[in-house]
Amino acid sequence: MKRGNFISSFNYAVQGIISSLRTERNMKIHYLAAIAVIVGSLFFNLTRVEFMLLFFAVTFVLTSELINTAIERTVDLVTQSYNPVAKLAKDIAAGAVLIASLNALVVGYLIFFDRLNTGTELLVFKLRSSNPHLAFVAVFLVIVLVVAGKLLWMHRSGGTFFQGGAVSGHTALAFCMATIISLIVVKGLVIGLAYFIAFLVAQSRVEGKIHKVSEVVLGALVGSLVAFIIYRLVGYYG
C-alpha cells in the first residue's frame, strides 16, 4: 500500500467521524459523554481490567452510533418515500445503539456504584494509584483537542486531519509524551533525549513544509500543557 493511500484512508475515516459529529445530535452527546467518562475515571482507583472494560463499553457505543448513522444515510439514499423495509432497517440499527448504550450503563454501574456510594475513592490522593492510564488519558485528550482544532480552523488554514492544518498533531503528541516522561523520570539525560526527539518531530514538520512554525509551536504548547495539567491534577511527579 502506498503511503498516500494509507494516509488518505485515515483522513477519510476521521472525516466520517467529524461529519457524524456535525450532523448527528446523538453522536455529539455520546462523544461528550465518552470524554467525561474517560477523564472522570482518573478520580477512581480503577484496575487495568476495569479501565479496559470501561473503554471498550465507550467505544462500543460510539461505533454503534457510527454504524447506525451510516445505515440511515444509505437508506435515505436508496429511498426518500416511506417504505416499511427501510423503516425496519433504521429501527434495527437504532436498536443496536440502544443495546450498546445499555451495556455501557451496566458496565458503569458495576464499576462505579460502590465507589460513588461510599465516596472513599473520590479523594484526590487516591489518584496516585491511577497513574498507569494517566498517559493514555493525556494522549487521548491531545488527539481530541488537535482534531477539534483542525475542525474549527481547517477552512482557514487548509490541510487535512492527518496532514497540515492549524495545529501540528504530530508535534502535540511528541511533546505530550516528552512531558509525561519528564514528569515521571528523574534522570536528566532521559528527559533531554525525550524533548530532543520531540524537537526533531517538530522540525521535520516544518522542513517538510507540512506545517508553519506557528502551527508547530501551538502543537507543542497543546501537548505539553495537557500532559502537565493531567499530572498536576493528580499531584503525581514520579
Side-chain angles (χ1 to χ4, degrees):
M1 181 179 294
K2 296 182 179 179
R3 181 178 180 275
N5 293 335
F6 182 76
I7 296 297
S8 296
S9 65
F10 276 101
N11 284 326
Y12 295 145
V14 176
Q15 185 177 358
I17 296 174
I18 297 299
S19 297
S20 68
L21 285 171
R22 283 176 171 172
T23 59
E24 298 296 320
R25 181 177 62 87
N26 289 339
M27 189 62 186
K28 294 176 182 177
I29 296 173
H30 293 318
Y31 188 75
L32 293 175
I35 296 175
V37 169
I38 296 299
V39 174
S41 67
L42 292 173
F43 294 90
F44 298 87
N45 185 21
L46 301 185
T47 65
R48 290 189 178 186
V49 174
E50 288 175 330
F51 183 75
M52 178 184 68
L53 292 174
L54 182 66
F55 187 74
F56 179 79
V58 169
T59 55
F60 185 37
V61 173
L62 295 177
T63 302
S64 300
E65 186 63 48
L66 286 171
I67 295 174
N68 176 51
T69 301
I71 292 175
E72 288 184 345
R73 294 293 180 271
T74 303
V75 171
D76 292 338
L77 180 64
V78 173
T79 177
Q80 294 295 325
S81 59
Y82 175 80
N83 187 304
V85 178
K87 178 181 181 301
L88 180 61
K90 288 188 175 183
D91 290 345
I92 293 175
V97 178
L98 177 60
I99 292 175
S101 300
L102 292 175
N103 172 74
L105 287 175
V106 172
V107 171
Y109 172 82
L110 294 175
I111 292 176
F112 294 117
F113 177 76
D114 289 338
R115 293 177 170 89
L116 290 174
N117 190 43
T118 60
T120 57
E121 300 297 330
L122 196 57
L123 299 176
V124 175
F125 70 87
K126 286 290 186 178
L127 298 179
R128 287 178 178 266
S129 58
S130 297
N131 64 71
H133 74 274
L134 288 183
F136 174 85
V137 173
V139 170
F140 174 78
L141 289 179
V142 167
I143 294 174
V144 169
L145 291 175
V146 168
V147 171
K150 289 177 181 288
L151 172 62
L152 291 174
W153 294 298
M154 183 176 292
H155 65 285
R156 299 179 185 176
S157 59
T160 65
F161 293 108
F162 282 87
Q163 283 186 309
V167 185
S168 173
H170 292 73
T171 304
L173 287 174
F175 273 86
C176 175
M177 294 175 187
T179 303
I180 291 172
I181 292 173
S182 71
L183 293 174
I184 62 178
V185 176
V186 295
K187 296 184 179 297
L189 177 61
V190 176
I191 296 173
L193 289 174
Y195 275 108
F196 178 70
I197 294 174
F199 175 78
L200 290 179
V201 172
Q203 183 185 27
S204 68
R205 307 308 286 176
V206 175
E207 290 188 355
K209 298 182 179 179
I210 300 173
H211 284 285
K212 301 176 183 178
V213 174
S214 59
E215 296 168 348
V216 166
V217 171
L218 182 58
L221 289 174
V222 170
S224 299
L225 287 175
V226 168
F228 180 78
I229 291 173
I230 289 295
Y231 278 80
R232 179 71 175 179
L233 176 67
V234 303
Y236 177 77
Y237 288 95

